[in-house]
Amino acid sequence: MTTHTKTSWIVQTNVEQESPTPTLLRKACAALDLPFHGVSVTRGDTSLPRLPSIDGPVVFHGRNTLIQCALAHSRWQNGVFFSPENFHHDAYVAAYGSAMLNSSARVMSFGDLLAAALPPQTKLFLRPHDDSKSFSGQTLSFSQCQYLYDAMKRSTPAASDVRVVVADIQDIDAEWRLFFVGNTVVTGSMYRPSADRLLPSDLIEFAEEAARSWSPAPVFVMDVARVQRSWKVVECNCFNGSRFYEANVEALVDAVSSFQAKRWGSSATQLP
């Protein structure tokens, strides 16, 4: 830490049983002597859980319900690095152009996709248009798209209106997740086909050049693919809900905490 103001981490702990995220963040905060506050969140809640009294900068990490509730609260919204107008496919294509993996993908409603009535075995790549994580980006047959839609309807009544990105299948060598603070890669990891902390130097050069041209937030995540010996931006993600894979979580927590501490100290109104 470069200031005497410590950043507090408010972390959702009732996540998927197999998720190591809360434990990793707790260990990193302990190693850096930063306050860690675990909270339990009920999906769909419209208000934040009871939070401790904190006079200083904060960072939230958890699932969409926690993030959206924090964003809606004037005291806590600066603990989240997100704006809906920046975190979606069209914004990435506008910023990165042909450097985007699926720059020519079609964006449509889920209802319009199903109305296309493609042959059942037609393969396509499907992901949400925004960063809501309503489902994971994945390769599906057209018939599987119908199953996914039926599952979504149980929790999303307006599932037919959900905007989706529909792209052709591409032959991807590998994919990496990079964590940015400012326009600098702090850490990252390959996550497909395996988890590996090694980051090729030309990958970092490509990603940081893209971030210098446009970043969706001061702290964010960029997924990058290697396709036919070329680098392509897959998407950006909100840091506050992203998985770490094999990234150096302690280095990341230190960098984000320092950023928040400086932000707090330089703000005349002392925003978190």
Side-chain angles (χ1 to χ4, degrees):
M1 297 288 292
T2 57
T3 80
H4 297 295
T5 304
K6 291 185 178 181
T7 297
S8 296
W9 286 72
I10 300 173
V11 178
Q12 181 176 347
T13 54
N14 64 324
V15 295
E16 301 83 359
Q17 186 174 4
E18 66 273 15
S19 173
T21 297
T23 299
L24 291 171
L25 289 173
R26 187 187 297 274
K27 288 181 177 178
C29 287
L32 296 166
D33 192 28
L34 295 171
F36 176 97
H37 304 282
V39 296
S40 181
V41 180
T42 300
R43 184 176 180 180
D45 274 357
T46 57
S47 60
L48 286 165
R50 183 180 296 274
L51 299 178
S53 177
I54 299 173
D55 182 19
V58 299
V59 176
F60 285 82
H61 200 284
R63 299 297 176 260
N64 193 54
T65 295
L66 176 65
I67 302 312
Q68 292 301 319
C69 287
L71 275 173
H73 198 292
S74 59
R75 168 64 181 91
W76 304 113
Q77 60 189 205
N78 283 285
V80 176
F81 309 101
F82 181 79
S83 56
E85 62 269 20
N86 286 350
F87 283 89
H88 60 79
H89 176 80
D90 287 345
Y92 311 147
V93 172
Y96 303 133
S98 61
M100 274 289 293
L101 176 65
N102 292 315
S103 59
S104 60
R106 294 154 289 168
V107 177
M108 64 186 73
S109 72
F110 216 137
D112 286 343
L113 169 62
L114 296 179
L118 300 175
Q121 298 307 314
T122 301
K123 294 287 187 178
L124 48 84
F125 178 80
L126 188 69
R127 55 149 295 175
H129 176 260
D130 61 16
D131 195 49
S132 63
K133 302 294 187 290
S134 53
F135 63 90
S136 299
Q138 55 196 293
T139 298
L140 298 170
S141 67
F142 187 73
S143 61
Q144 289 172 324
C145 292
Q146 181 68 61
Y147 296 141
L148 175 61
Y149 173 76
D150 292 340
M152 282 183 60
K153 283 198 300 184
R154 300 188 190 107
S155 59
T156 309
S160 63
D161 296 328
V162 171
R163 298 184 77 200
V164 294
V165 177
V166 184
D168 295 331
I169 307 302
Q170 301 204 45
D171 188 11
I172 298 174
D173 299 329
E175 295 179 54
W176 284 259
R177 172 157 293 179
L178 305 176
F179 292 86
F180 280 83
V181 178
N183 295 326
T184 301
V185 174
V186 173
T187 183
S189 167
M190 178 193 286
Y191 63 88
R192 189 176 293 131
S194 61
D196 188 334
R197 190 175 289 188
L198 178 64
L199 302 178
S201 59
D202 52 338
L203 163 63
I204 296 176
E205 182 180 349
F206 165 82
E208 290 186 341
E209 182 178 355
R212 284 193 295 270
S213 68
W214 181 80
S215 295
V219 176
F220 72 102
V221 176
M222 180 187 289
D223 290 347
V224 179
R226 186 175 61 208
V227 183
Q228 297 178 354
R229 300 183 180 181
S230 296
W231 299 111
K232 296 288 184 178
V233 177
V234 177
E235 62 179 343
C236 296
N237 291 285
C238 173
F239 162 79
N240 303 85
S242 293
R243 291 179 58 185
F244 301 129
Y245 298 104
E246 291 299 311
N248 186 332
V249 178
E250 185 175 324
L252 181 59
V253 168
D254 192 25
V256 175
S257 298
S258 295
F259 174 84
Q260 287 294 76
K262 292 176 183 177
R263 192 184 193 192
W264 174 273
S266 64
S267 173
T269 55
Q270 289 205 325
L271 292 174

